[in-house]
Amino acid sequence: DQQVKQNSPSLSVQEGRISILNCDYTNSMFDYFLWYKKYPAEGPTFLISISSIKDKNEDGRFTVFLNKSAKHLSLHIVPSQPGDSAVYFCAASGFFQGAQKLVFGQGTRLTINP
Amino acid sequence: DTAVSQTPKYLVTQMGNDKSIKCEQNLGHDTMYWYKQDSKKFLKIMFSYNNKELIINETVPNRFSPKSPDKAHLNLHINSLELGDSAVYFCASSQDLDGADTQYFGPGTRLTVL
């Protein structure tokens, strides 16, 4: 009963093009959504987030889109750079059983080809 | 001056042993977490502490016992290790319990139980 899913385990994109990573969730009680980036042998690092009351948040080359009716969010990276090659985790935050919890997807490995 | 540090980075041990993983954060945060990343790559919350008080205990076997001697430290002790405990364990911290608070992760501890 995984509540946050990233259905693409990997994605390969040419340098300079747009990378689009997708994430679906099932629980409408989530009120905040985040993307984390992870390099090998390191912990995840925060990238960008969006509140459930918004449908778009932009930070430089990174934009997150939220479609609440479809329970879907996506991360756009443009233009993609070789340093963007990493595993990207989608996460959703909500208040469940008396505590705020962060639920992660299983990650998408993004490879940017020169 | 690492923000969230964990020791050890790698831990290889035999079934039935008891082991501990240490976590320290120097960010002045009030909340700390332990996550487990299993073989399917999902990052799942195990515990969270706020000001040394247990907030989340996500139906983890009681062989796992977190200890928070102060706000900056959250250690994880595991008794009677089993093969299924093999995973990467991540410690994290955030300013408070708000879902919008960014969580900062340590580099992870790869535990292998033989």
Side-chain angles (χ1 to χ4, degrees):
Chain A
D1 63 339
Q2 186 61 22
Q3 299 186 72
V4 178
K5 291 183 181 177
Q6 295 173 254
N7 292 317
S8 297
S10 63
L11 177 67
S12 188
V13 173
Q14 198 77 18
E15 182 179 359
R17 307 293 281 266
I18 184 170
S19 296
I20 300 176
L21 296 98
N22 293 304
C23 178
D24 296 298
Y25 62 96
T26 56
N27 197 324
S28 57
M29 297 298 291
F30 288 129
D31 55 9
Y32 210 75
F33 302 90
L34 308 92
W35 284 94
Y36 279 80
K37 176 179 178 179
K38 184 182 180 305
Y39 293 118
E42 294 183 12
T45 55
F46 171 75
L47 189 57
I48 192 169
S49 62
I50 187 167
S51 164
S52 60
I53 62 172
K54 295 189 173 182
D55 55 17
K56 178 181 174 181
N57 188 27
E58 195 171 346
D59 183 4
R61 297 186 297 113
F62 302 92
T63 303
V64 55
F65 295 92
L66 176 63
N67 182 334
K68 282 184 67 176
S69 60
K71 295 191 177 68
H72 177 84
L73 67 155
S74 61
L75 174 68
H76 292 210
I77 307 173
V78 56
S80 300
Q81 298 174 355
D84 296 330
S85 296
V87 177
Y88 289 78
F89 289 96
C90 167
S93 178
F95 196 82
F96 304 107
Q97 297 167 322
Q100 194 75 25
K101 294 180 185 176
L102 198 57
V103 180
F104 283 85
Q106 68 270 53
T108 296
R109 181 178 300 279
L110 175 66
T111 303
I112 306 300
N113 301 308
Chain B
D1 56 344
T2 306
V4 181
S5 59
Q6 295 178 229
T7 52
K9 201 167 173 64
Y10 300 96
L11 187 51
V12 181
T13 188
Q14 300 286 333
M15 273 177 55
N17 283 350
D18 302 339
K19 291 292 178 187
S20 292
I21 307 172
K22 295 186 175 182
C23 178
E24 177 180 0
Q25 55 96 2
N26 63 7
L27 298 166
H29 288 166
D30 287 342
T31 307
M32 295 185 73
Y33 310 82
W34 277 108
Y35 287 85
K36 179 181 180 181
Q37 186 179 30
D38 59 24
S39 56
K40 293 183 180 177
K41 304 302 182 187
F42 286 106
L43 264 165
K44 294 187 178 178
I45 183 72
M46 299 173 69
F47 302 101
S48 75
Y49 270 72
N50 181 258
N51 280 316
K52 296 167 46 180
E53 180 186 343
L54 179 66
I55 303 298
I56 296 174
N57 180 343
E58 198 69 2
T59 59
V60 176
N62 58 16
R63 298 183 295 104
F64 290 78
S65 52
K67 292 281 192 307
S68 183
D70 54 58
K71 278 191 344 179
H73 296 85
L74 181 62
N75 304 322
L76 184 64
H77 189 74
I78 316 170
N79 288 328
S80 304
L81 278 156
E82 300 177 357
L83 292 175
D85 297 333
S86 295
V88 182
Y89 293 84
F90 289 97
C91 176
S93 73
S94 65
Q95 185 62 57
D96 211 318
L97 290 166
D98 194 295
D101 285 340
T102 299
Q103 292 189 21
Y104 294 83
F105 283 80
T109 296
R110 182 175 293 277
L111 172 64
T112 304
V113 183
L114 304 174

